[in-house]
Amino acid sequence: MIPVTKAYLPNKDKYKAYVDRIYESAWLTNNGSLLQELEQRLKEYLGVKHIILVANGSFALQLAYKALELKGEVITTPFSFAATTSTLVWEDLKPVFVDIDPNSFNINASLIEESITPETSAILPVHVFGNPCDVERIQQIAKAHNLKVIYDAAHAFGSEYKGSSVLNYGDISTLSFHATKLFHTIEGGAVITNDDELAKKVRLMTNFGISSPTEISSVGTNAKMNEFEAAMGLCVLDEIEEVKAGRQNVWQKYQAELPTEQLTFQSWNEHSQNNHAYAPVLFGSEVELLKAEANLKENGVLPRRYFYPSLDTLEYLNSNKVCAVSRSIASKILCLPIHPGLSGEDINIVVNSIVTN
Ligand SMILES: *Cc1c(COP(=O)(O)O)cnc(C)c1O
């Protein structure tokens, strides 16, 4: 079987050495030394001012909404993973969908303003598959209407815009370090911000609002990352360049060998380079996609229909907004396997399953 995502397992002896350290200190969680080391290294690697490591990417989003004290409506994209919408609803915020651009697959910035109402408190775009949004336009709109901006940057590990981290845009950006993501800590995530006060607030909220052994200064939750997860992150970070090179290699082969008369690729932001977090391909129709998916499965390949369904169709939302572009893209897009462990033979199997379609 060739799965679409495969957790990257770094050098085992290195991980064991970290586990020995954890056993020696008997410090398993609560701002441990490995967590602090990982925060420091990620801050430097990504080129960001504040990074707060948390239990997962969904918590990172929820902490962002809480820290920014969002209320009412939040403008977001229907073309994303379920968590983008469900975290809003979980925090009693109303997702207001704005359709996507058919080429970048990101929220269509030129449609945002018409969806702003007196109830709108923020914009929550997603850098879909790591592709930077129209960050400058979104910044202008937010400023003009006094709105907060949170980027769900779960896919944008290492993505740059005009030469620096795309995570520096918006009031807050969030990452997911789930096992299937480009960089992972088994389960984990991060909140990124340039604002000192916001960083302090999020850090407090991550640990029950406890500011000192005798003081509880705000409402909070338990969103902490533990030392075993931080250790995994340190090991994966040591090997991240190989991981990225391996993924790039797979993507280049797909691009060279897949039939472009049958498929289209995502158009990447011209001020950025693909981080190869995913390998999405767009078919001409859902019928073609389903045929290819069946062929792939028959040959032992497990692709995923990322993202399907379009979130504006979720029944629990009772939304009457129809995002036609997102629905159309969602019905025709397939993410192919992209991980450093794929052999040339595996790639041929994937390509041939689509070509013989
Ligand atoms: C993975 C993902 C999340 C959720 O992250 P978890 O760490 O799994 O909670 C949120 N948004 C997007 C776009 C994702 O892909």
Side-chain angles (χ1 to χ4, degrees):
M1 280 293 176
I2 307 173
V4 62
T5 49
K6 191 165 172 229
Y8 181 79
L9 287 167
N11 183 293
K12 203 186 205 173
D13 291 328
K14 214 179 231 180
Y15 189 67
K16 281 182 177 162
Y18 280 118
V19 171
D20 287 342
R21 249 175 83 178
I22 298 171
Y23 268 66
E24 276 158 32
S25 67
W27 192 295
L28 309 187
T29 185
N30 284 61
N31 201 27
S33 67
L34 297 180
L35 178 123
Q36 289 180 31
E37 196 177 324
L38 182 59
E39 275 192 358
Q40 193 52 43
R41 282 187 56 191
L42 283 173
K43 209 161 78 173
E44 283 161 24
Y45 181 81
L46 297 169
V48 296
K49 189 167 181 201
H50 296 288
I51 179 163
I52 298 113
L53 297 178
V54 296
N56 56 59
S58 302
F59 250 133
L61 286 166
Q62 286 167 238
L63 288 160
Y65 311 152
K66 286 280 192 201
L68 291 165
E69 298 174 29
L70 302 190
K71 289 190 181 60
E73 299 178 356
V74 176
I75 289 174
T76 189
T77 171
F79 191 67
S80 184
F81 182 61
T84 312
T85 289
S86 66
T87 50
L88 288 172
V89 177
W90 197 265
E91 295 298 341
D92 284 329
L93 294 161
K94 186 178 174 209
V96 172
F97 295 116
V98 164
D99 212 345
I100 61 168
D101 176 87
N103 304 309
S104 72
F105 309 156
N106 287 329
I107 194 165
N108 187 334
S110 63
L111 301 176
I112 291 176
E113 276 185 304
E114 64 197 44
S115 291
I116 296 174
T117 76
E119 304 302 312
T120 310
S121 63
I123 310 171
L124 172 66
V126 178
H127 302 301
V128 173
F129 305 131
N131 186 22
C133 290
D134 195 345
V135 287
E136 293 182 37
R137 180 91 185 89
I138 292 169
Q139 196 165 310
Q140 280 168 359
I141 297 167
K143 199 166 169 214
H145 297 270
N146 197 21
L147 303 174
K148 304 291 184 193
V149 179
I150 303 109
Y151 282 105
D152 180 344
H155 306 163
F157 187 88
S159 284
E160 294 193 335
Y161 178 79
K162 294 189 174 171
S164 71
S165 176
V166 76
L167 303 170
N168 285 316
Y169 285 85
D171 296 279
I172 290 181
S173 291
T174 64
L175 288 168
S176 164
F177 300 151
H178 182 258
T180 57
K181 302 290 201 297
L182 175 58
F183 167 82
H184 81 93
T185 62
I186 310 172
E187 290 274 4
V191 176
I192 289 100
T193 181
N194 285 317
D195 184 305
D196 300 348
E197 283 307 308
L198 271 179
K200 221 165 118 185
K201 211 164 161 186
V202 170
R203 215 175 265 290
L204 270 176
M205 287 178 162
T206 301
N207 186 31
F208 310 103
I210 299 174
S211 47
S212 81
T214 55
E215 208 179 343
I216 303 165
S217 59
S218 81
V219 69
T221 185
N222 177 4
K224 300 188 300 292
M225 176 184 282
N226 68 51
E227 289 291 274
F228 292 88
E229 291 169 334
M232 180 57 78
L234 287 165
C235 293
V236 177
L237 194 55
D238 280 342
E239 297 172 29
I240 195 73
E241 296 312 323
E242 290 110 89
V243 171
K244 282 167 62 179
R247 283 170 174 266
Q248 180 173 21
N249 187 32
V250 173
W251 181 242
Q252 282 172 347
K253 287 198 175 123
Y254 281 148
Q255 278 205 310
E257 291 169 29
L258 284 169
T260 45
E261 59 289 354
Q262 227 176 307
L263 302 166
T264 359
F265 300 119
Q266 179 181 28
S267 345
W268 208 265
N269 190 310
E270 59 175 347
H271 302 293
S272 178
Q273 276 183 352
N274 197 329
N275 68 345
H276 307 106
Y278 295 86
V281 293
L282 194 65
F283 288 81
S285 69
E286 188 167 22
V287 173
E288 285 175 35
L289 172 143
L290 292 173
K291 271 205 291 189
E293 192 188 24
N295 278 346
L296 286 161
K297 282 185 177 158
E298 206 163 293
N299 293 322
V301 185
L302 295 177
R304 271 294 291 272
R305 294 190 67 179
Y306 280 141
F307 296 107
Y308 181 87
S310 179
L311 300 173
D312 60 317
T313 65
L314 295 183
E315 243 171 80
Y316 77 78
L317 290 174
N318 274 320
S319 164
N320 50 14
K321 181 95 186 259
V322 175
C323 295
V325 179
S326 176
R327 289 185 188 193
S328 163
I329 300 285
S331 73
K332 297 185 293 194
I333 200 161
L334 205 58
C335 279
L336 302 178
I338 182 164
H339 39 85
L342 285 176
S343 66
E345 201 180 322
D346 293 338
I347 294 167
N348 285 339
I349 291 172
V350 174
V351 170
N352 291 335
S353 305
I354 293 174
V355 173
T356 56
N357 199 19

